[in-house]
Amino acid sequence: MRVVFLGPPGAGKGTQARRLSQLLGVPHISTGEMLRAAITQGTALGQTVRQYVEAGKLVPDVLMQELVRQRLSEPDAANGFVLDGYPRNVQQAQTLDEILGELGTRLDRAVLLDLDPDLLVERLSGRLVCPVCGANYHRRFNPPKHDSVCDRDGATLVQRADDRPGTVRARLEEYTKQMAPVTDYYRQRGLLAVVDASGTIDQVWRGLLRVLGLAEQAENVIEEG
Ligand code: AP5
């Protein structure tokens, strides 16, 4: 299955996309994580995009296009992927269709995680991430077992540079400006699936499985496990 995740910052795209990729056995491709890794490693791309990411602005389409083209061409994405953070405007949606066309395939679903803006700020301000493995926590809604320590590798958890209040506002503004035409783009093509993202992580997960027709498959995995 080839799926993209749409939705405002903090809606839970990364949280749900990671679960879905595990269930389907396909890679979770997060453009935000790829950009943050490039920034941390100090690559040429990282140095160019840093100013955009830390200001909550969109990175120019031309840079994103190459990043996504290369990643989707890798062998592990040949049988499917969960793409999180791309596309973010209609130009990117069209580019994605072109890239998939070149690869001889097409998108199956675009999932929109829908959430009241008031809840987003609460989710983002409490988010903690592991700088080593990228695991995602929330101080209140999804806390680590030990305070500020990653359950997987014991690293000290940090706040993302773009989760500061001023940057969060800028990210929400960017999203509001760009996203409605993208959801229309997928709705017109019959690909859009909307999931109410206001419940708990498990409730949103169940809603996601329902709209993707995967509830039965997930039950079998739980039983086998
Ligand atoms: P990106 O990393 O994609 O960030 P984003 O879209 O702003 O989304 P987030 O990662 O902040 O939130 P999320 O929806 O994944 O929520 P999460 O699961 O973490 O992009 C960052 C930047 O990179 C952009 O601003 C831009 O500069 C650049 N960029 C990236 N892609 C680009 C592109 N295509 N074009 C141009 N520029 C691009 O959840 C949030 C928190 O809530 C967590 O703490 C989590 O534990 C908690 N949580 C999750 N679900 C629930 C729930 N149901 N109940 C309670 N808490 C929950």
Side-chain angles (χ1 to χ4, degrees), residues 10 13-15 31 36 57 85 88 92 127 136-137 171 199:
K13 300 183 295 296
T15 303
T31 49
R36 284 187 289 281
K57 299 281 175 198
R88 279 177 134 94
Q92 292 187 4
R127 174 165 55 188
N136 203 331
Y137 301 87
R171 287 162 62 203

Side-chain angles (χ1 to χ4, degrees), residues 9-10 14 36 121-129 136-139 158-160 162-163 171:
R36 284 187 289 281
V121 177
E122 193 182 13
R123 288 197 186 173
L124 291 174
S125 59
R127 174 165 55 188
L128 293 169
V129 292
N136 203 331
Y137 301 87
H138 191 281
R139 286 195 177 92
V158 296
Q159 186 171 40
R160 257 170 55 175
D162 61 349
D163 278 348
R171 287 162 62 203

Side-chain angles (χ1 to χ4, degrees), residues 23-73:
L23 177 70
L24 297 175
V26 299
H28 166 219
I29 301 175
S30 157
T31 49
E33 276 177 18
M34 289 163 80
L35 295 170
R36 284 187 289 281
I39 293 170
T40 306
Q41 288 156 15
T43 64
L45 174 72
Q47 287 169 24
T48 310
V49 302
R50 175 175 219 128
Q51 54 177 318
Y52 297 100
V53 174
E54 292 189 354
K57 299 281 175 198
L58 288 189
V59 170
D61 289 347
V62 63
L63 297 174
M64 295 310 301
Q65 176 175 331
E66 267 330 289
L67 195 67
V68 171
R69 187 187 303 279
Q70 280 177 21
R71 183 63 187 89
L72 292 182
S73 306

Side-chain angles (χ1 to χ4, degrees), residues 144-164:
K145 291 195 183 85
H146 303 286
D147 198 24
S148 295
V149 175
C150 180
D151 294 348
R152 294 192 204 161
D153 53 34
T156 302
L157 302 174
V158 296
Q159 186 171 40
R160 257 170 55 175
D162 61 349
D163 278 348
R164 290 185 295 257

